Amino acid sequence: MNIKSIQEDFLPLIERPSRYLGTEINSIKKDANGIKLQMALVFPDLYEIGTSHLGLNILYYILNNHEKIAAERVFVPGIDMEAYLRSSNTPLMSLESKKPLKEFDIIGFSLLYELNYTNVLNILDLARIPFFSSQRDDSHPLIIAGGPCTCNPEPVADFFDAIVIGDGENVIMEMSRSWLKWKENCRGEKEALYKMWSEIQGLYIPAFFEPKFDKSGFQSLLPRFSKYRRIKRVIVNDLDKAPFPDAPILPYGKPVHDRLRIEVSRGCTRGCRFCQAGMIYRPVRERSVDTILSLSNKSITATGYEDISLLSLSVGDYICINPLMEQLMTWCEPRNISVSFPSLRAGTLTPELMQHIKRVRKTGFTIAPEAGSQRLRDVINKNISKKDIIDTVKNAYDFGWQVIKLYFMVGLPTETSEDLKAIVNLVKELRKINTGKGRRKNKINVSVGTFIPKPHTPFQWAPQISLSESKARIGWLQNNLKMSGINFKWQKPEISLLEGLWARGDRRLSHLLIAAHKKGCKLDGWSDHFRYSLWRDAIYDEGVNMDFYTNRLRNTNEPLPWDHIDIGIAKDYLIEEWKKATTGELTPDCRTGNCNACGVCDFNIIEPKVFKMSAEKSAFDIGRELLNPDNIKPIIKGTLLKTLKVSFSKIDQAKYFGHLELVNIILRALRRADIPIKFSEGFHPKPKISFEDTLPIGLESLKEYFYLIVPENFKSQSIIESLNKHLPAGITANDCHVASAKPVHNKTYNYMVTIKEEFFDNKKLDFFLQSPEFVISRIDRKGRLKKINLKDLILEIELLNQYKLKMTLRAESGKTVRPLEVIKEIFGLIDEKARKARFIKTL
């Protein structure tokens, strides 16, 4: 399959084409010679979501470290790309080698969100792979899955050959080694591999269990083998020694988490009764300060990121968070690298911690009270008080934050109208804090979702409120929070309802998923693609009783579809917590206190692992040893400076980078090359760099320019060699010299255009040349109709042959025209034909 032909046929026609290139910095493309196992790692969502997923990056790193294994990535194609794949009968391919997905040995899906299930089927459909494992023979790839959704795998179990329950770092290599042995000795008999895999802790083989349903509709599973009845979750007992990528892939475009992500700990012992992650990732396991600092240094060096995000279910609970932040910010501040937390628990964000965070720039600030009243927060075991919330927000405002995000849920067990009123009252009280005084008023973003009972939590037996009730409660909050300074957002109740259906579903739902897929359901997690009417029709057609799965109180004695999954939490513990919720009795955090006997720890291998600073060694000492002091030398205030003008070319695959994307690529390449750049002063420091022209997607250029400010003693010519080592294919730095005091920007541009699948009609060009004016109409960004005379902007246009022309265009203030628009208007070309032309800016 000709990769270049595929790119030329599809990429000029679609949005965000760089997401399909697969040539990102730190991506890995192995020589097929010597590779025994080819594995596709699939994230069933768009590139911008999936490439931000830490778990996929960890597995990519682990697998590709094995010389006989090649792991490549696959994401859901955009709507436009999917249409081109289907219309051209082209199968879905991996990013790195453009290998058809169906030709891989193993395809591994990451299941993080129930509303991605239709995307799983869509990917298999685009790859031309049968959905059910029972329909796939030895000629098909093995389909496996992992991720938090697998703690109840039953709704999708029939689609997979094997499902990982728990942490994947070690088990993925055990599976791979078993596969290599099976391939060599067992001649491809799938049943033999199933048996080998079933001996690995944490691996669920759905084909080894037969579902049965009683008169009440409850599912039970009959195991085929007496020694394989329950699947015990696999746990990485020492996170500090677990493999973690120190040169992560640097995505193109704008991923949702466009920053370096370092997992500082896994697991949470706060014991929130609604929180599935807090239960299924126990016990708490921390990375040491020295490991985190070492990973940060290596990863920043390998990526050039300007932001670090410390990841954990509760970052503020990390034992050494203050000494870690002290040393990290001491290194990051002079390099203008910010550090952020995805969310923080009220009461853990101390003034000391805020002071560290704000040293570079004030990053996002999110806290989740979950409930408005103290009574309901006690029911869910949130273990924070109203005072904690108020003090945290007040401290944030005092340290200069102006936007706070709050997250609440409706429909929590025992919730009443008084609890809803308490949300409104709490928000109003927070709104009054530290506003006015001649300053711009602070803002609060309130986000509300519907509570969804999840497996392996104390609330797994609770009913989910109905769709109508969810709409009513969210609507009431919206109406009562209409006030200045409050921005109210909510998740669609229909999405929450379906999430609840799949979260506690059983194997009967597999046919509903196929029915929804056939009706066109996909990208359901995106509000602009979610179509509840299609789901409603599919549910009706399949005769699914929604209330059976969602809106009913379960008996603690009834069988649950996930009873065969041993997540480590004792069922008796969950029942006890469910009972304590009804009385509002709190359960303390066991991280530093007494054991609550949840059942996860054996206190031999599996137990909480936290790190305290050594009395002999401070965070400063560790940081001095592990953080590279020469990496990205900061510019000291008062240093003499100069402005450099750098010329570069942007050709071939680089034409698929938009302007902002190109700027980001070059900025991070400058960081990786250790080229010191002057930053602006103030609230949000920015690198002092500017570009002469903003090239649109699809346009190549032989010579572009950018300007940057560097120290006076920096050797100008060294930038070319250093920078070119860190730029992706298609971008090349060509020359660098000191810029004149007042750079003169060119106002005329020369282009060469070569067309394919069409020809340039000389008669149409003659008509243009002979016309006194050639007026075109366009709609500007504000929706206004504007008319432009092309004769004013086209200085020269000449056919070199029927497939090639050159033109010179002029840019005026408020008036510009691109070569794509020129050939469409003069030659009457349809958009698709015109976009496939090659446009090269020659000067």
Side-chain angles (χ1 to χ4, degrees), residues 59 164 276 285-286 332 345 375 391 414 440 456 527 534 585 604 637 647 659 674 677 748 792 841:
L59 296 180
V164 176
Q276 186 181 62
R285 292 146 289 158
E286 295 185 345
C332 289
R345 184 181 180 91
R375 184 200 70 82
D391 287 349
T414 77
R440 185 177 64 180
H456 305 287
S527 58
L534 298 181
E585 184 180 348
N604 179 24
K637 193 171 184 178
S647 70
H659 176 66
D674 293 348
I677 309 174
T748 62
D792 295 336
K841 181 182 173 186

Side-chain angles (χ1 to χ4, degrees), residues 488-529:
F488 186 85
K489 295 182 178 180
W490 67 96
Q491 184 182 55
K492 287 184 177 180
E494 293 88 348
I495 290 179
S496 299
L497 181 66
L498 287 177
E499 186 179 340
L501 169 67
W502 291 101
R504 296 191 290 177
D506 53 38
R507 289 204 191 184
R508 289 173 294 192
L509 294 186
S510 60
H511 293 283
L512 170 62
L513 192 66
I514 292 175
H517 165 72
K518 288 180 178 178
K519 289 182 181 295
C521 294
K522 57 190 169 188
L523 295 173
D524 295 304
W526 296 79
S527 58
D528 51 342
H529 295 294

Side-chain angles (χ1 to χ4, degrees), residues 8 27 95 131 139 151 156 164 201 217 245 262 308 335 412 505 518 521 561 585 633 642 695 777 829:
E8 290 177 351
S27 61
L95 287 187
F131 294 155
S139 68
C151 66
V156 293
V164 176
Q201 182 177 332
I262 303 289
I308 299 174
R335 293 160 178 82
L412 286 164
K518 288 180 178 178
C521 294
E585 184 180 348
K633 301 180 184 69
K642 64 183 176 182
L695 296 182
S777 299
L829 298 174

Side-chain angles (χ1 to χ4, degrees), residues 553-565:
L553 178 65
R554 285 162 167 76
N555 190 299
T556 55
N557 293 321
E558 78 174 59
L560 299 171
W562 52 90
D563 276 343
H564 59 300
I565 302 298

